[in-house]
Amino acid sequence: DQQVKQNSPSLSVQEGRISILNCDYTNSMFDYFLWYKKYPAEGPTFLISISSIKDKNEDGRFTVFLNKSAKHLSLHIVPSQPGDSAVYFCAAKRGSNYKLTFGKGTLLTVNP
Amino acid sequence: EAQVTQNPRYLITVTGKKLTVTCSQNMNHEYMSWYRQDPGLGLRQIYYSMNVEVTDKGDVPEGYKVSRKEKRNFPLILESPSPNQTSLYFCASSSAAMNTEAFFGQGTRLTVV
């Protein structure tokens, strides 16, 4: 049973426009959510996170929104840049449990 | 510089030949884990360790072993590798504090022929 789902395997946007990556989860016990970015031949790197007590967290061009009632979160990148082209993974954890449960990832391509 | 170091980065081996992938972190993190990444399947946890001498199975532990004799090191052992273990492997570490991110190594591309 996949507890964290990223239903779009890929997304293509134009440079300067907004990129919106989506993630759904089924386990209502998850209370902390993270986004990771991964370039080819590199390990995933942490991008931004949000606690379940918030509905929005912003860091520069990156904003994560959390809708707990819908069990849905999204990552907004504005404006998108070619260097943002990478695979983005959504991950979730619960309480003091250190385990991260990952989605399958979304390949974002930002075209110049 | 805070980092998680895996070795080797690339490895081609034959079926049945025991191998070890090393992982070391310099952040004094309590929690370490191993993941494998396969096309269309994302990142799946193999094993994890809460601290020295404390390890447990993740979601896909079959065919793997781990040990945690020192806090900084968490090697992944494949006693008898098989072709279905051909994958991209990542080691990760995180602190025991609540709501912190995990740091990942650069990955090990393993091919079993």
Side-chain angles (χ1 to χ4, degrees), chain A residues 80-101:
Chain A
S80 301
Q81 300 173 353
D84 295 329
S85 297
V87 176
Y88 289 78
F89 289 101
C90 171
K93 60 190 290 193
R94 59 183 178 92
S96 59
N97 190 323
Y98 308 124
K99 179 181 177 180
L100 287 173
T101 300

Side-chain angles (χ1 to χ4, degrees), chain A residues 36 41-46, chain B residues 1-9 21-35 68 71-76 89-95 101-108:
Chain A
Y36 281 83
E42 293 184 14
T45 55
F46 171 72
Chain B
E1 180 190 355
Q3 58 185 7
V4 178
T5 304
Q6 293 177 229
N7 280 296
R9 292 290 310 276
V21 183
T22 63
C23 174
S24 181
Q25 50 96 2
N26 63 0
M27 294 167 279
N28 201 37
H29 284 165
E30 292 79 10
Y31 188 78
M32 296 185 74
S33 56
W34 277 100
Y35 294 86
R68 186 94 182 270
K71 197 171 187 179
R72 63 183 292 124
N73 296 322
F74 190 45
L76 179 69
Y89 291 87
F90 292 101
C91 178
S93 75
S94 60
S95 78
E101 72 272 23
F103 293 82
F104 283 80
Q106 294 280 70
T108 296

Side-chain angles (χ1 to χ4, degrees), chain B residues 29-89:
Chain B
H29 284 165
E30 292 79 10
Y31 188 78
M32 296 185 74
S33 56
W34 277 100
Y35 294 86
R36 60 180 287 175
Q37 183 189 5
D38 301 290
L41 296 176
L43 288 159
R44 295 179 294 167
Q45 191 182 57
I46 302 170
Y47 265 94
Y48 65 94
S49 170
M50 305 278 282
N51 214 320
V52 175
E53 301 293 0
V54 182
T55 64
D56 207 347
K57 297 176 180 178
D59 299 315
V60 287
E62 294 77 23
Y64 304 95
K65 285 175 57 177
V66 293
S67 69
R68 186 94 182 270
K69 294 183 170 56
E70 305 164 284
K71 197 171 187 179
R72 63 183 292 124
N73 296 322
F74 190 45
L76 179 69
I77 303 155
L78 285 73
E79 294 270 2
S80 182
S82 63
N84 65 11
Q85 293 178 297
T86 293
S87 188
L88 181 56
Y89 291 87

Side-chain angles (χ1 to χ4, degrees), chain A residues 8-75:
Chain A
S8 298
S10 63
L11 174 68
S12 182
V13 300
Q14 286 299 120
E15 181 178 5
R17 306 294 291 269
I18 184 172
S19 295
I20 300 176
L21 295 95
N22 293 304
C23 178
D24 297 293
Y25 61 97
T26 57
N27 189 338
S28 58
M29 299 298 289
F30 288 144
D31 59 7
Y32 192 65
F33 305 89
L34 308 90
W35 285 94
Y36 281 83
K37 179 165 89 171
K38 185 184 178 305
Y39 293 119
E42 293 184 14
T45 55
F46 171 72
L47 190 58
I48 192 169
S49 63
I50 188 166
S51 166
S52 60
I53 62 173
K54 295 185 174 182
D55 54 17
K56 176 183 175 181
N57 189 27
E58 195 170 352
D59 183 2
R61 297 185 296 114
F62 302 91
T63 303
V64 56
F65 295 92
L66 175 62
N67 182 333
K68 287 191 292 292
S69 61
K71 294 191 180 69
H72 176 83
L73 61 154
S74 60
L75 174 68

